[in-house]
Each structure stands twice: as structure tokens, then as C-alpha cells.
Amino acid sequence: MPSDGLSGGGTAGRSLWMGANYVPSSGWFYSWLDFDPDAARRDFADLASIGLDHVRVFPIWPWIQPNRGLIRQRAIDDLLTVIDCAAEFDLRVAVDLLQGHLSSFDFLPSWVLTWHQASVFTDPTVRAGLADYTRTVAAAVSTRPNVFAVTLGNEVNNLWPANPTTLDATFGFTADLVAGVRAVAPRLTCLTSFYDDIWYSPTHPFSPAAAVDLGDITTVHSWTFNGVAGIDAPLGPATTTHADYLVELAAAAATTADRRVWLQEVGAAEPDIPAASAAAFAQATVDAVVDNPALCGITWWCSHDIDPALLDFPHREYDLGLFTVDHRRKPVADVLASVCAGSANRPTRLANAARRGLMCPVDPRDPQTRDQVAPGSTFHQDWVGLRKLGPVAIVPPARTSLTA
């Protein structure tokens, strides 16, 4: 079993690891095009100052592999330098490989566009090029001792519907990439990452099985604009327990009881969570999920705001940082600092047997019935109501042989 990020490094003595998704304060991810290691060091100093133990970093696929036959060593070297800079601040690193999709923008190389137009999920030539890319980058980052995980990409399912695909094709696409990474970087935890349509939308061509059967840990991304904001945002129980609900749903979809869940993205996105409510939202969200027995880590989105001089981002993307672009600490950062400072002294998390259980009316692995567990569904409302009394485990019904 590869390292799971739960021991060693900055997490010693801690039952849960806490980190941030790294958004560079200067130039957003465009900073890869004009890389400055001292700027990265300033950013990592911010994160270390509040007690975080890891960062998730995002190299950009088309800037590393601009041609199917060219993988730029200079770009890989810059990535390795970022990882080394993080190590200077005792930060461990999870590397995302396929971007893919970031902050509402898609990044695809020209060799899958224009007259080469092909689905990244189904075209064999594109998949072969992607396999070369993911294996090359994974092998490189595995040489750094503070790298503990690779995620195959950030919410790659958001590349659909522009890239046509099917449930079977996306399962195979993900399985092939996982196998390739494991072959070249066996010590690293290998993960997948999906926008939560994979849990909620019955027409979405990525199955929950891809999230819970592939890779070593299940990841969930909890965003209020994905359904709960219209129920009771900014601080109602459906909103502040959404992260816990997703962790429970992912745990219930797993076929083994010890499958862990990483809350890989969660953030206070405007306008659903106004700036004045962001710290209270963060505190309530973390309080609700932190003792979940399936949870292995929380990674806040994101480290730093986006400079308003950069244009055309959705409004909610600009102010999600724990720090401003000029390195001022924001109230949400104070919340996470308090969680980090107190985490070593937290009581043992509740075992499943000590929690209430609520039987799910459908198998959460079943792609055809996902709307019955989506925010606002009868089951979700029942879970939120019971959750007011304390932690609630989602109990799956007896299963048939659903796989993809």
C-alpha cells in the first residue's frame, strides 16, 4: 500500500492532515510561464505560518506537453523546484497531473483541438499521449521525498460535454491512467478527482465507481453552488454540513469499510457565502466534518486570492484565498490556524458504531439514481434533519453487482 499522507512530515502526532490548494499569489497559474521560486517561497511561508502541513499543486498540461511528442523538461524542472520550495517550509505536496479544468477555465493542448479535434476520454491517440504525460510527470515528482500523492487531474469530468464520452469509456480512461502512475510511482498515493456531478447527476458520464474503486483514496469537492446554496446558504445546516454529507456518500459508495475520503476541495464561494460569513461558514463546515471516521484530510480552496487585474474569471473565483495577493491573512485562515493548533488534542473520532445511521433508498454507486441523493432530495433533507442531532452515517442498501 503506498503512503497515504497520514504519517511523517508535518503531520506527526495528528490524526487528520490540513492543507491548501496552492493558487500562486502572483499571476495565478500563469506564473508557470514566468516562474519565480522566491514568489513560491513567500506563498508557502504564508501557509506554514498558520500550521498547514501540505499543499496541492497544479502544473498545466498543455504547457508541459504542447505537442504529443514533446514533454518539456524545463517545465518539469520548475515543478520540481516548487516541490523543493515547499519542503523548505515542511510542507508535503500532492501533485495534480491533468489540468484540464481550473477555476472555471479549461486547458487543452492544441494537439487535441482545431483539426485534430478528438475526445480526451475516447480517442486512442489522445489517451496514448496522456499516458506518456502522466507517467513522465509522476515518475519525476516521485523522486522528491515530500511528495505523498498524485491526483490524475482536477475535476477532469468538467471536460465533458465538450469531449464526448460514455460511462464505460470514462471508467477505462481513469483506470488506465491510475495503472500507469502506479507502475512508475508505486510509493505515492494515487487518486482521482471529480466535480460532484459524479455523485448527483443521473446523466453524467462518470460513475461513482470511478471515484471509489479507482485510486487509493476517494476524493470529494464540496461547493455550495453545487446544490445546497439554494436551500439555506450561507450558514444553514444543509450548507454547513454539505462537506460531511459528501464524505458520508463517498464512504457509503465504497465496497470496503476502510476506504478513506479526502475532502480535497472546500471553500467559501461568493455570493452564496458572503465575505462577512466566510469565517463562520469555514468554522461550521470543519466542525461538522472533522470527526468523520472516513475522513483523512481537508484541503482548503485556496491558498491565495486572484489578482483582480486578471480578467474574465467568474466573480466567485477572485476572493477564495486564505491570504490576499499581498499576503494579508484573512479570517478563514484564522479558523484553519485554530483547527491546526488544536488538532493534536482532539478526542478520538467517533467510530461508525457510535453514530446514528440512515438507510439510503438507492445504492450510491448506481449512476442512474443519483438525483435521489442530490441536495434537496427527500433523502438529503432527511439526513440534514437527523444530522442536527449529531453525526449520521449513510447506510447503503444491499448491493447488486454495479461496477461502472
Side-chain angles (χ1 to χ4, degrees):
M1 178 73 181
S3 169
D4 59 11
L6 293 172
S7 60
T11 61
R14 198 182 278 183
S15 60
L16 183 77
W17 33 285
M18 296 286 297
N21 292 278
Y22 177 44
V23 173
S25 64
S26 177
W28 190 67
F29 297 106
Y30 306 123
S31 59
W32 287 115
L33 298 172
D34 189 20
F35 177 60
D36 178 0
D38 287 335
R41 290 185 178 97
R42 286 192 294 271
D43 292 343
F44 294 147
D46 291 340
L47 301 180
S49 75
I50 61 172
L52 300 183
D53 55 58
H54 73 276
V55 291
R56 179 175 168 227
V57 302
F58 302 86
I60 307 299
W61 173 29
W63 301 341
I64 296 180
Q65 192 185 28
N67 180 276
R68 189 164 62 89
L70 173 63
I71 296 177
R72 296 178 56 243
Q73 186 59 46
R74 173 63 182 272
I76 292 176
D77 290 344
D78 288 344
L79 172 59
L80 295 176
T81 300
V82 165
I83 293 167
D84 293 342
C85 290
E88 295 174 20
F89 296 90
D90 294 324
L91 292 167
R92 295 190 307 151
V93 178
V95 179
D96 265 46
L97 297 182
L98 176 56
Q99 275 66 245
H101 179 84
L102 281 172
S103 300
S104 302
F105 286 102
D106 291 345
F107 291 87
L108 298 174
S110 58
W111 53 271
V112 304
L113 299 170
T114 60
W115 67 272
H116 305 277
Q117 185 72 53
S119 171
V120 299
F121 304 120
T122 62
D123 184 85
T125 300
V126 175
R127 284 176 60 163
L130 262 175
D132 289 341
Y133 165 77
T134 53
R135 285 195 301 261
T136 300
V137 179
V141 303
S142 71
T143 64
R144 295 312 198 254
N146 62 318
V147 173
F148 70 94
V150 289
T151 302
L152 289 171
N154 183 55
E155 298 185 350
V156 292
N157 53 331
N158 272 329
L159 297 177
W160 176 84
N163 292 270
T165 190
T166 65
L167 285 168
D168 288 341
T170 55
F171 193 90
F173 165 87
T174 309
D176 287 349
L177 293 182
V178 167
V181 168
R182 283 178 169 159
V184 300
R187 78 165 182 85
L188 298 182
T189 298
C190 184
L191 311 164
T192 62
S193 165
F194 302 106
Y195 179 77
D196 70 11
D197 275 350
I198 197 171
W199 303 109
Y200 295 151
S201 173
T203 61
H204 192 68
F206 277 75
S207 166
V212 299
D213 292 350
L214 302 176
D216 301 309
I217 298 172
T218 303
T219 64
V220 293
H221 293 186
S222 176
W223 290 104
T224 57
F225 53 78
N226 290 357
V228 295
I231 299 174
D232 59 11
L235 298 175
T239 299
T240 57
T241 64
H242 183 239
D244 191 47
Y245 180 73
L246 265 176
V247 171
E248 283 296 336
L249 199 62
T255 56
T256 59
D258 60 351
R259 177 82 174 186
R260 285 159 296 185
V261 182
W262 178 6
L263 180 56
Q264 194 182 45
E265 289 185 21
V266 60
E270 296 188 39
D272 305 325
I273 312 297
S277 301
F281 166 80
Q283 187 70 67
T285 294
V286 172
D287 285 347
V289 74
V290 71
D291 293 322
N292 192 305
L295 187 71
C296 64
I298 299 173
T299 310
W300 198 262
W301 190 283
C302 56
S303 65
H304 293 81
D305 289 343
I306 298 175
D307 189 333
L310 295 175
L311 305 179
D312 302 326
F313 288 84
H315 171 71
R316 64 174 176 250
E317 299 286 352
Y318 283 97
D319 298 312
L320 288 167
L322 299 170
F323 293 84
T324 65
V325 293
D326 56 357
H327 305 280
R328 287 183 292 109
R329 179 166 156 172
K330 295 166 67 176
V332 173
D334 294 331
V335 171
L336 295 193
S338 177
V339 173
C340 291
S343 62
N345 299 317
R346 292 189 68 85
T348 302
R349 287 183 275 173
L350 288 173
N352 281 304
R355 300 183 301 154
R356 296 176 181 84
L358 183 64
M359 180 67 70
C360 191
V362 296
D363 189 335
R365 295 173 60 87
D366 187 347
Q368 307 304 317
T369 58
R370 288 177 278 192
D371 56 333
Q372 295 185 48
V373 297
S377 65
T378 298
F379 174 73
H380 174 249
Q381 293 179 63
D382 290 345
W383 185 91
V384 171
L386 192 59
R387 183 65 180 80
K388 295 175 185 177
L389 304 176
V392 180
I394 294 177
V395 181
R399 288 201 170 103
T400 57
S401 57
L402 292 167
T403 57

